[in-house]
Structure formats: structure tokens, C-alpha cells
Amino acid sequence: MSNVIYQAQPPLEFIPPKFNPLFLGAVHLLLPSWISWQTAITQIEADNIEVLVDLYRQFQAGKIRFMLAFRHPKIDDPFCLTYLFSQLVPRVAREQGTVLQSPIHAHFIYDRGIPLWAGSYVGWVASRIGATPIQRGKADWTGLRSARDLFANGKFPMAAAPEGGTNGLSEKVSPLEPGIAQLGFWCAEDLHKDNRAEQVFIVPVGIKYSYVDTPWRAIAGLLSELEAASGLQINSANQGNIPCLESLYPRLLTLAEHLLALMEKFYTRFYHQNLPDVKTEISDRNEALAVRLQALLNTALQIPEQYFDLQANGKLSDRCRRVEQAAWNYMFREDFKDVKALSPVEKALGDRVAEEANARMWHMRLVESFVVVSGNYIREKPTLERFAETTLILWQMIARIKGDQTSQRPQLGKQQVKMTIGEPISVSERYPTYKKNRLGARQAVADLTNDLQQVMEELI
């Protein structure tokens, strides 16, 4: 990771999918043990699997093409889906007497940036299971062509997260990106041009995590660590309380307010930003937190936007993607394709630019963690899961501030996963509107994205 951060690099290369059935077989064989060893997940189950069994039956019969659009609260989601393909779908198919060809799998679309922080081996593994990468912040025509070809002609259906990234919240869907809908219409267009009769569908998949037991003591311990790390004075009277939501929620609010105050002071003093003072205008602590947080996120994102000369247009998630791509353009340089041909001075100046770009991107990463966080997530539904998720997001924030990128996210307790297969959404039925004209195409993509958003929220 250090080379990526502090040194200018040649442009990011596309990692072509090189599906290897023997490698996938090994992955399917070892997956249950790996999940048990490397994650907190002890149980994975799914509803409406028979819908997916029928979709795979029709796909293998050459009648349909489809993409699974899955919720993306955690980095464990692809493992859960692969377990669904390798274990649950074949089991239900056998029970129904439905004959499916093996393996049951999908071509995943993944963010090209993942191998940068997770390790280059991830790109190698993803390639061998037939996944295809895409750079999210620009028109990555190579990545889009690969995904488009796989959708229309691949051996398996597609799978992608329309939210674009994890948000850490099982019961909050981030605003969906339009890429999934666009790929669906491109697939319908390609089939139409080739006089193929397959119908195209997008299949929403909900993924929700819950704790097997109630790890309030672990949450209380993590809260104490975060309070100490942020310099917050600990009220010793609180330490004797039996950990529960009622006793911990005031501590969480106080921690959030304290961290906000620190960050407001940070951006006001050292980046000369003006932040609204709402602490005395809004009496409700949750509402005040929500207003202050949104103001802080907007301010933090303006720092890299000003540096990269970007317009602050659109949703926070869209602005984050543009900042990320601008930083990558400074780090992965077209004019650095032949690094050995550069003079030492040219190379040193390139490294300086890469280092500064990474420093600016730090502000975006901070914002990225809070894009869908509100001050009312716990209050509107006070559950263990929501409290734990919010606490973990604050942990991630403090870890980013400390520059601690090596620590794994704390495991507060064993978890179980519930996936729900939604009803397929027909892209083919909407294709006549899409192909009318450019305005119709834009409206069709927007309508499909909005409908998918609503369905995915209902699956929660």
C-alpha cells in the first residue's frame, strides 16, 4: 500500500476475467471453512431461493439473462452470495427436483480500487472466478465493455452492488448508482441487435446481518476505547451500569458530539472553513447532530474538491467518486507508463504529487464512511444491530484519523446473515421506452434505478 500512496505509478491496468472452473471448485469447497475461520458469521440463510432456482433454470435454458443487484452493508457480502450459489441454491434445486448445471455462480463486478487496499492477490483471485473490475469515478470504457459483454454473453449471470460500496448499515440503503440499470438496457440492446429472444431481468437481493447473542459488554468496551482515544472524560458513574441500549446511548451521543466538535475545530482552524453554529439553535440532540454532521461532511469534501479543481455538484456519494478518480489520476499517471525513462527529478516530483493527492483523498475517505449516517438511525428503531453498526462507524472514523489502516474492524459478536431474493424486475419490458430517443433512454435508466431503490428498501 505504501508504494501506491507515496509514489507515482503507471496507469491502473485492467484485470481481465480469466474464469478457471477448477479454481472456482476449490473456492466453493473451502468457502464454508473460510467463512467460519475469517468472519464472525455462524449461519447464512435465504428466503425465496426457489425464485433464484427458477431464474438459473431459465438462464441455463437460454431463455433469460439477469443480474443480481445486492445490498452491500459489509465487505463479507460477496462471500455470503457465493455461499448462496454454491450451497443453498443447489440444495433447494435438489429438493425441488430441478436439474441445474454446475457450477452455480455469477460474474461479479467489483471496484478496481479494491486490490489497492486489500492486496494485489485479490485481483488475481477475482479474475479466476470470472469477476470483472471497473473504475467508479470515470467513464471506464474498458471495464464497461467487459461487463457489458459478460452480461450478454457470459457463462453465468451477473452480480453487482448498485450502491457502489459498503455503507456499514444493514437497514439503510445508500442512493443507488445508475450503472446497473444502464448495463441492463445495454444487454437488452445487444440481444435485440443479435436477434436473440432472451428476456433481461434485474433481481434485487437483500442482505441483513444480526447478532446471535447480545454483545452489549463488547460494545461497552469498544465505546470506552473510543472515548479514551478521543480524549473524552469518562463518567465513572456510567461504568457501574449494566450495559444496555438505555445506558449506552447517552455515551454514544456524547462521543459523537465530542468528535464532531473536534473535527469542526480542525477544519475551522487549519483549513479556514466556516461551519454553522447550530448547537444553540436546535434543542434536540439528534437533530443537531444530523445538521452538524451534514455541514461537516460538505466542508470536508470541499478540501479535496478545491485542490483537484472539482465542482461540488450532486450527491455526496457522487462527489466522493469524482474526488477518488481525480486522486487516482494524480497517482496513476499516463505519462509514467515507462518509469525507467524518467529523470530522478521528474520521478521525485511525481511522487510528491502522489503523496499530496493521497493526503487530500483522506478527507474524502472520512466523508465516505458517513454518507448515509443520520442522527436518527438508532432513535427511529432502537435495536442492538443499529447501535453496534453506528459504534463501528465511529471506530472507523477514529481509525482513519489515527492513520491506523492495518487494524481489522472489531468483531463484537457472532452474527447470522439473512438474504432475501426479491421479485425480478423486467428490463426488457422497459426497453421500448429506452430505445425511443436519448431523452427516453435517460428517463428509462432513472426510472429503473428509482424502482430498484424502492424495492431494495422494501427488502429491509
Side-chain angles (χ1 to χ4, degrees):
M1 188 68 179
S2 59
N3 287 338
V4 172
I5 294 176
Y6 298 118
Q7 294 183 11
Q9 307 281 314
L12 281 175
E13 294 182 354
F14 177 72
I15 305 173
K18 299 179 180 178
F19 176 67
N20 185 321
L22 294 178
F23 182 77
L24 179 64
V27 169
H28 282 183
L29 181 65
L30 297 174
L31 183 65
S33 298
W34 191 93
I35 290 175
S36 177
W37 175 45
Q38 287 290 320
T39 76
I41 298 170
T42 60
Q43 181 180 346
I44 301 175
E45 58 183 30
D47 285 340
N48 303 330
I49 300 177
E50 62 277 2
V51 172
L52 202 52
V53 170
D54 187 60
L55 288 167
Y56 269 98
R57 179 189 62 79
Q58 294 185 69
F59 179 91
Q60 294 179 355
K63 296 180 179 180
I64 65 170
R65 309 292 299 183
F66 69 91
M67 175 183 286
L68 294 160
F70 61 90
R71 275 249 41 224
H72 203 13
K74 294 180 62 175
I75 60 173
D76 295 336
D77 303 335
F79 308 129
C80 298
L81 283 165
T82 304
Y83 185 89
L84 172 68
F85 302 147
S86 63
Q87 305 290 326
L88 303 184
V89 170
R91 182 188 307 164
V92 172
R94 288 193 299 269
E95 293 172 353
Q96 291 183 343
T98 302
V99 178
L100 296 178
Q101 301 170 24
S102 295
I104 303 299
H105 188 51
H107 294 291
F108 284 87
I109 301 174
Y110 68 98
D111 175 17
R112 178 60 181 84
I114 292 176
L116 299 180
W117 58 263
S120 58
Y121 74 93
V122 173
W124 186 93
V125 170
S127 175
R128 269 61 185 180
I129 63 171
T132 189
I134 195 162
Q135 294 187 40
R136 297 180 297 174
K138 69 173 187 177
D140 178 10
W141 297 115
T142 302
L144 288 170
R145 280 193 297 268
S146 176
R148 180 172 181 171
D149 178 66
L150 285 173
F151 203 164
N153 305 303
K155 180 179 177 64
F156 307 108
M158 304 296 291
E163 294 167 275
T166 60
N167 69 6
L169 305 176
S170 285
E171 298 186 15
K172 187 76 171 180
V173 182
S174 300
L176 302 191
E177 298 179 359
I180 300 300
Q182 182 62 71
L183 282 169
F185 285 116
W186 278 344
C187 182
E189 184 177 58
D190 293 341
L191 297 178
H192 179 74
K193 287 180 179 179
D194 291 341
N195 294 316
R196 291 164 56 181
E198 295 107 307
Q199 297 292 296
V200 181
F201 295 93
I202 292 177
V203 184
V205 180
I207 301 179
K208 187 175 180 180
Y209 295 80
S210 60
Y211 287 94
V212 176
D213 298 311
T214 53
W216 285 116
R217 291 194 181 279
I219 295 173
L222 180 59
L223 263 180
S224 296
E225 293 179 20
L226 301 182
E227 290 165 340
S230 62
L232 192 62
Q233 291 292 329
I234 309 298
N235 185 347
S236 58
N238 289 331
Q239 304 303 308
N241 294 333
I242 299 174
C244 63
L245 192 144
E246 288 75 15
S247 64
L248 296 181
Y249 189 49
R251 290 176 58 187
L252 183 66
L253 278 178
T254 300
L255 174 62
E257 290 168 340
H258 180 68
L259 288 170
L260 268 176
L262 290 176
M263 297 307 295
E264 289 166 344
K265 182 179 179 180
F266 172 72
Y267 281 107
T268 300
R269 178 179 178 184
F270 297 107
Y271 290 91
H272 317 294
Q273 302 295 310
N274 294 318
L275 285 156
D277 185 6
V278 301
K279 285 173 281 189
T280 58
E281 299 173 6
I282 303 176
S283 58
D284 184 274
R285 294 177 71 183
N286 289 275
E287 292 182 12
L289 270 173
V291 173
R292 291 171 64 191
L293 177 61
Q294 288 305 306
L296 179 66
L297 296 182
N298 182 64
T299 296
L301 205 49
Q302 287 176 355
I303 304 303
E305 286 174 335
Q306 292 168 1
Y307 177 77
F308 293 119
D309 194 24
L310 299 173
Q311 295 297 315
N313 297 329
K315 299 175 293 188
L316 287 176
S317 57
D318 296 333
R319 292 166 64 188
C320 285
R321 296 289 71 75
R322 287 197 294 270
V323 168
E324 180 181 57
Q325 188 58 50
W328 282 8
N329 290 342
Y330 280 33
M331 298 177 187
F332 303 98
R333 304 263 295 271
E334 289 290 338
D335 54 336
F336 272 49
K337 287 183 177 179
D338 186 2
V339 177
K340 294 181 180 179
L342 299 172
S343 70
V345 171
E346 289 174 312
K347 181 65 169 62
L349 288 173
D351 292 344
R352 175 67 66 181
V353 169
E355 183 177 358
E356 290 188 3
N358 178 71
R360 298 310 190 282
M361 192 160 60
W362 176 87
H363 302 276
M364 182 277 291
R365 294 299 183 202
L366 202 64
V367 173
E368 191 177 42
S369 302
F370 287 85
V371 164
V372 294
V373 173
S374 70
N376 298 311
Y377 183 63
I378 298 175
R379 186 169 65 172
E380 66 187 14
K381 188 178 178 183
T383 63
L384 165 70
E385 281 72 26
R386 291 193 175 205
F387 194 98
E389 288 170 349
T390 304
T391 306
L392 287 171
I393 288 175
L394 290 180
W395 172 88
Q396 185 179 40
M397 173 188 178
I398 291 176
R400 289 195 187 281
I401 293 172
K402 293 165 59 180
D404 189 357
Q405 300 179 4
T406 58
S407 296
Q408 291 187 343
R409 181 183 290 260
Q411 301 287 8
L412 298 176
K414 296 298 182 181
Q415 290 188 297
Q416 53 194 7
V417 182
K418 181 67 168 291
M419 289 178 283
T420 305
I421 314 301
E423 289 300 316
I425 301 173
S426 175
V427 179
S428 298
E429 290 180 357
R430 301 165 185 249
Y431 180 65
T433 301
Y434 174 86
K435 71 176 182 179
K436 280 183 179 179
N437 51 46
R438 187 171 298 178
L439 181 61
R442 286 199 296 266
Q443 190 61 50
V445 169
D447 289 344
L448 179 53
T449 302
N450 291 334
D451 290 346
L452 181 60
Q453 175 100 35
Q454 180 177 346
V455 172
M456 295 192 77
E457 290 174 352
E458 290 172 354
L459 288 178
I460 292 175

